[in-house]
């Protein structure tokens, strides 16, 4: 099919020129994206002059495209869409995001799923662009078989960890000849974009993130997502061929300054490891740009795995993200300098295509015999010998060509039958998966009901415990109340006795007071009587005296 067998013409749209072509398809694409100012940033420090030029501290930088703060996710993808198309055609493709922490790298690459399709990142859009055409192709289009696998891992503290399967750190194997790879990495077979998206979503949940002063969801590792494609097809010449390609997405952790991020403890250790690996990456890029004989790819796990992407067999695009704020100008300028160096790296891109060994041997034999025909390197000793030899060679060539054609047909028929069987197996696998999914749903439903019953039982136990607790509290309160009542009874008895005593004393006092009053009245009468008598006697005495 045209989509699979013919490599698309490399085109890299920008905001101003949607179909602008590169001068060389092996050049590394360099794109720059400015994120919007946040609430803590008020004054911009970068000036975008045009769609490919930006000025920082008086220095002019020119890249393949510059996207301002108003750019959308779709705009970014349109600038790199030729790379996923090339992957379908049998070429390796790499997209790498670089920039300081909090500048929008992860959003550009992986988007924000909960915000809807418009916020989908380069990863989601590329997966659809690669897998949709492959899924829709068939044997009638010339496609015999296809295999697509995804893997997802992170590099944390310079050690790879599988994001699709929990486990300890893995090791990087390989050399500069065969390329480096992560040993023991999980590879998930996918047949459609949904399967790949599920794997991507699962890996993102397992990626290590943590909050810093500059970014509350700061990535603490470099994330690498890989999609491998292997396609077997029949070419226009009727020859069976196999193409293999790999699409790689790299979301680098942001460079950090401890003074600005406020990192301490484990966060500080992670920052040191991130900055060290980014320094190694910078050294590799410097060596490639300067044309040095030794390039230090082996200095870090990250650079080992980026050997093909930088100066190797891959169509590569680097997307640098920066903050436009004035207070981040130092970090932004460092990112611009990095991107400018990357733009000068030349990759050695080749089509990853091969022919099965048995067919190659037959073609070699035919080519050898064709050399002996007129115009070849061999000469006959006489016209008669030449005629006889030519006849024999022609017969042999025709026979071999016929055998080769029959082999190719048989091989094609076998592959078609295999494709049909594989299709049936895939359908059975899907049906089994659906049945397993249904069983799983039933099991999950029963487990959910069991959990609800358990929760209901726990709630009832809690209610009983609560009632018991309340009863104990009421009993304690009742006991305290009874004690207080007894104390009040005793107090009342004591007060009653005291009241009776006081009443008795009061009655005695009243009685005594009455007696005293009677006595006073009696004494008063006696005194009055005596006084009257005294006055009478005095009056008598006055009357006697002359």
């Amino acid at each position: 099919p045209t989509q699979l067998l013919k490599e698309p013409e490399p085109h890299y749209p920008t905001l101003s020129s949607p179909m602008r072509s590169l001068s060389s398809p092996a050049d590394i694409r360099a794109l720059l994206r400015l994120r919007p100012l946040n609430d803590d940033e008020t004054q911009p420090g970068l000036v975008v002059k045009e769609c490919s030029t930006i000025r920082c501290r008086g220095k002019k930088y020119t890249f393949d495209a510059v996207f301002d703060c108003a750019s959308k996710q779709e705009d970014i993808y349109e600038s790199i869409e030729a790379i996923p198309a090339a992957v379908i055609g049998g070429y390796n493709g790499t997209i790498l995001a670089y920039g300081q922490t909090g500048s929008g790298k992860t959003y550009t690459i992986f988007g924000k799923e909960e915000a809807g399709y418009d916020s989908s990142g380069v990863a989601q859009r590329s997966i659809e662009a690669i897998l949709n055409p492959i899924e829709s192709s068939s044997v009638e289009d010339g496609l015999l078989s296809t295999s697509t696998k995804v893997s997802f891992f992170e590099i944390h503290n310079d050690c790879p960890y599988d994001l699709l399967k929990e486990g300890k750190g893995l090791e990087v194997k390989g050399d500069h000849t065969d390329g480096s790879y992560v040993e023991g990495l999980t590879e998930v077979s996918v047949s459609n974009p949904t399967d790949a998206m599920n794997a991507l979503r699962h890996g993102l949940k397992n990626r290590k993130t943590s909050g810093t002063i500059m970014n509350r969801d700061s990535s603490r590792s470099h994330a690498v997502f890989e999609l491998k494609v292997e396609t077997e097809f029949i070419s226009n010449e009727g020859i069976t061929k196999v193409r293999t390609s790999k699409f790689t997405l790299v979301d680098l952790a942001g460079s950090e300054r401890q003074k600005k991020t406020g990192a301490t403890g484990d966060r500080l250790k992670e920052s040191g490891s991130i900055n060290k690996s980014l320094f190694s990456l910078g050294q590799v890029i410097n060596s490639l740009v300067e044309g040095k004989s030794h390039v230090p790819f082996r200095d870090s796990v990250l650079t080992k795995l980026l050997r093909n992407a930088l100066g190797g067999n891959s169509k590569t695009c680097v997307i640098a993200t920066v903050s436009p704020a004035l207070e981040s100008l130092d970090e932004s300028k460092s990112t611009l300098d990095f991107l400018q160096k990357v733009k000068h790296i030349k990759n050695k891109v080749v089509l990853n295509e091969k022919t099965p060994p048995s067919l190659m041997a037959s073609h070699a034999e035919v080519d050898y015999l064709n050399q002996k025909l007129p115009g070849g390197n061999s000469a006959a000793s006489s016209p008669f010998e030449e005629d006889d030899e030519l006849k024999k060679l022609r017969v042999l060539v025709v026979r071999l060509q016929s055998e080769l054609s029959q082999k190719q047909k048989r091989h094609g028929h076998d592959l078609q039958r295999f494709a049909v069987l594989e299709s049936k197996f895939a359908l059975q696998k899907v049906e089994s998966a659906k049945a397993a999914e249904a069983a799983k749903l039933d099991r999950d439903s029963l487990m959910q009901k069991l959990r609800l019953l358990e929760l209901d039982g726990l709630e009832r136990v809690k209610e009983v415990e609560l009632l018991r607790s309340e009863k104990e509290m009421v009993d304690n309160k009742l006991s305290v109340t009874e004690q207080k009542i007894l104390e009040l009874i005793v107090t009342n008895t004591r007060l009653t006795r005291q009241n009776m005593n006081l009443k008795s004393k009061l009655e005695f006092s009243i009685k005594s007071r009455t007696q005293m009053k009677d006595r006073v009245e009696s004494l008063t009468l006696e005194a009055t009587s005596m006084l009257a008598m005294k006055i009478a006697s005095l009056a008598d005495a006055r009357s006697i005296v002359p």
Side-chain angles (χ1 to χ4, degrees):
T2 303
Q3 291 179 335
L4 296 175
L5 307 183
K6 184 179 179 181
E7 184 203 359
E9 185 69 18
H11 65 278
Y12 301 88
T14 64
L15 290 178
S16 64
S17 177
M19 296 295 289
R20 185 172 64 85
S21 298
L22 284 174
S23 58
S24 169
D27 290 344
I28 288 184
R29 287 276 292 166
L31 310 180
L32 180 70
R33 186 182 196 184
L34 281 69
R35 68 157 171 78
L37 292 171
N38 59 36
D39 296 337
D40 298 327
E41 300 167 340
T42 56
Q43 188 174 358
L46 293 176
V47 180
V48 180
K49 290 296 183 182
E50 52 188 71
C51 64
S52 60
T53 303
I54 191 169
R55 189 173 293 277
C56 178
R57 287 184 173 170
K59 184 177 178 180
K60 180 180 177 183
Y61 296 87
T62 300
F63 304 113
D64 293 289
V66 176
F67 298 91
D68 60 20
C69 302
S71 62
K72 300 178 181 179
Q73 295 285 74
E74 184 179 2
D75 299 330
I76 307 301
Y77 178 73
E78 287 178 353
S79 255
I80 58 91
E81 63 181 352
I83 291 182
V87 172
I88 299 176
Y91 293 90
N92 295 330
T94 303
I95 298 174
L96 186 147
Y98 177 91
Q100 74 175 108
T101 183
S103 60
K105 300 180 303 300
T106 301
Y107 175 73
T108 299
I109 295 298
F110 297 118
K112 199 171 185 179
E113 187 175 12
E114 59 270 20
Y117 181 77
D118 289 342
S119 294
S120 298
V122 170
Q124 291 84 351
R125 297 171 189 267
S126 298
I127 287 172
E128 289 184 348
I130 294 172
L131 294 181
N132 277 336
I134 294 176
E135 185 184 15
S136 61
S137 299
S138 62
V139 175
E140 288 75 12
D141 300 319
L143 180 66
L144 299 178
S145 66
T146 181
S147 170
T148 49
K149 298 179 180 180
V150 298
S151 57
F152 200 5
F153 64 94
E154 66 178 348
I155 303 173
H156 181 251
N157 289 337
D158 207 41
C159 180
Y161 290 88
D162 198 334
L163 290 176
L164 300 181
K165 179 182 178 182
E166 292 185 5
K168 60 182 181 180
L170 305 174
E171 293 185 4
V172 175
K173 299 291 185 178
D175 52 33
H176 67 279
T177 303
D178 299 325
S180 299
Y181 63 94
V182 179
E183 188 178 40
L185 187 64
T186 302
E187 288 188 338
V188 179
S189 296
V190 296
S191 57
N192 52 61
T194 302
D195 295 341
M197 298 289 189
N198 290 336
L200 176 68
R201 197 177 296 114
H202 178 74
L204 287 174
K205 289 181 180 178
N206 295 330
R207 188 181 182 187
K208 292 178 177 62
T209 60
S210 180
T212 66
I213 292 176
M214 296 184 69
N215 186 1
R216 64 182 179 182
D217 293 318
S218 175
S219 300
R220 313 310 297 167
S221 63
H222 308 302
V224 183
F225 178 83
E226 294 179 343
L227 171 58
K228 296 179 180 178
V229 180
E230 181 173 318
T231 306
E232 187 173 6
F233 63 97
I234 299 175
S235 68
N236 296 331
E237 294 80 16
I239 300 174
T240 300
K241 294 185 177 182
V242 177
R243 283 181 181 174
T244 57
S245 58
K246 182 170 71 171
F247 178 67
T248 307
L249 280 167
V250 184
D251 177 26
L252 297 176
S255 56
E256 298 182 352
R257 292 187 180 182
Q258 192 273 339
K259 182 178 180 180
K260 287 192 173 184
T261 61
T264 58
D266 291 340
R267 303 292 82 78
L268 183 60
K269 180 182 177 182
E270 290 169 344
S271 297
S273 177
I274 291 169
N275 291 338
K276 182 180 178 182
S277 62
L278 293 177
F279 175 77
S280 299
L281 177 61
Q283 293 296 100
V284 166
I285 290 172
N286 288 337
S287 300
L288 289 171
V289 172
E290 295 170 7
K292 292 183 179 180
S293 58
H294 171 69
V295 181
F297 281 107
R298 299 178 63 84
D299 284 1
S300 73
V301 168
L302 175 65
T303 50
K304 285 180 184 178
L305 297 171
L306 290 180
R307 181 184 291 273
N308 264 346
L310 301 173
N313 178 23
S314 175
K315 292 176 177 287
T316 301
C317 176
V318 177
I319 304 174
T321 57
V322 295
S323 164
L326 184 62
E327 50 265 45
S328 301
L329 205 57
D330 290 338
E331 290 81 1
S332 297
K333 187 177 186 306
S334 175
T335 301
L336 294 175
D337 291 335
F338 173 89
L339 189 60
Q340 192 173 50
K341 289 181 182 178
V342 169
K343 185 173 169 58
H344 293 92
I345 298 177
K346 304 291 183 182
N347 283 3
K348 307 174 184 68
V349 184
V350 296
L351 179 64
N352 304 307
E353 183 178 275
K354 60 184 179 181
T355 304
S358 59
L359 295 179
M360 290 177 65
S362 299
H363 281 294
E365 187 176 358
V366 171
D367 291 340
Y368 171 75
L369 293 173
N370 281 331
Q371 289 180 0
K372 293 194 173 185
L373 293 174
N377 296 326
S378 178
S381 57
S382 68
F384 301 100
E385 292 177 356
E386 182 177 311
D387 290 340
D388 292 336
E389 186 177 0
L390 282 174
K391 289 179 181 179
K392 292 179 181 179
L393 287 175
R394 285 195 181 95
V395 171
L396 183 58
V397 167
V398 170
R399 181 175 60 82
L400 288 174
Q401 286 178 337
S402 176
E403 291 178 357
L404 177 59
S405 178
Q406 291 176 1
K407 285 183 179 180
Q408 289 177 344
K409 287 180 180 179
R410 285 197 299 270
H411 183 64
H413 291 321
D414 290 340
L415 287 174
Q416 288 180 2
R417 286 195 296 271
F418 175 78
V420 172
L421 291 174
E422 190 176 36
S423 177
K424 290 181 179 179
F425 174 77
L427 289 174
Q428 292 178 354
K429 184 178 179 182
V430 170
E431 291 175 356
S432 300
K434 288 181 179 178
E437 185 67 22
K440 183 181 177 182
L441 290 174
D442 291 339
R443 186 196 65 182
D444 291 342
S445 178
L446 291 173
M447 292 297 294
Q448 183 68 18
K449 290 179 180 178
L450 180 60
R451 281 195 292 269
L452 290 174
L453 290 173
E454 290 176 350
L455 290 173
D456 186 58
L458 289 173
E459 290 294 330
R460 293 184 180 277
V461 170
K462 288 181 180 178
E463 289 177 1
V464 171
E465 292 295 331
L466 184 60
L467 290 173
R468 285 179 180 174
S469 177
E470 290 177 354
K471 181 178 178 299
E472 289 177 0
M473 291 175 62
V474 171
D475 290 339
N476 291 334
K477 289 181 179 179
L478 182 60
S479 177
V480 171
T481 304
E482 291 175 349
Q483 184 68 27
K484 288 183 178 180
I485 290 173
L486 289 174
E487 291 177 358
L488 289 172
I489 291 172
V490 171
T491 303
N492 185 50
T493 303
R494 187 177 72 252
L495 291 175
T496 301
R497 289 176 181 175
Q498 290 178 357
N499 186 42
M500 291 177 65
N501 290 333
L502 289 173
K503 184 177 179 181
S504 176
K505 288 181 180 180
L506 181 60
E507 290 175 351
F508 178 79
S509 176
I510 291 171
K511 186 177 181 181
S512 298
R513 182 179 176 185
T514 304
Q515 291 176 354
M516 287 181 67
K517 184 178 179 181
D518 293 340
R519 177 67 176 163
V520 169
E521 289 177 353
S522 176
L523 290 174
T524 302
L525 290 174
E526 288 179 359
T528 303
S529 177
M530 287 179 67
L531 181 59
M533 291 176 63
K534 196 75 170 170
I535 292 171
S537 64
L538 287 174
D540 291 339
R542 274 184 188 174
S543 63
I544 296 173
V545 178

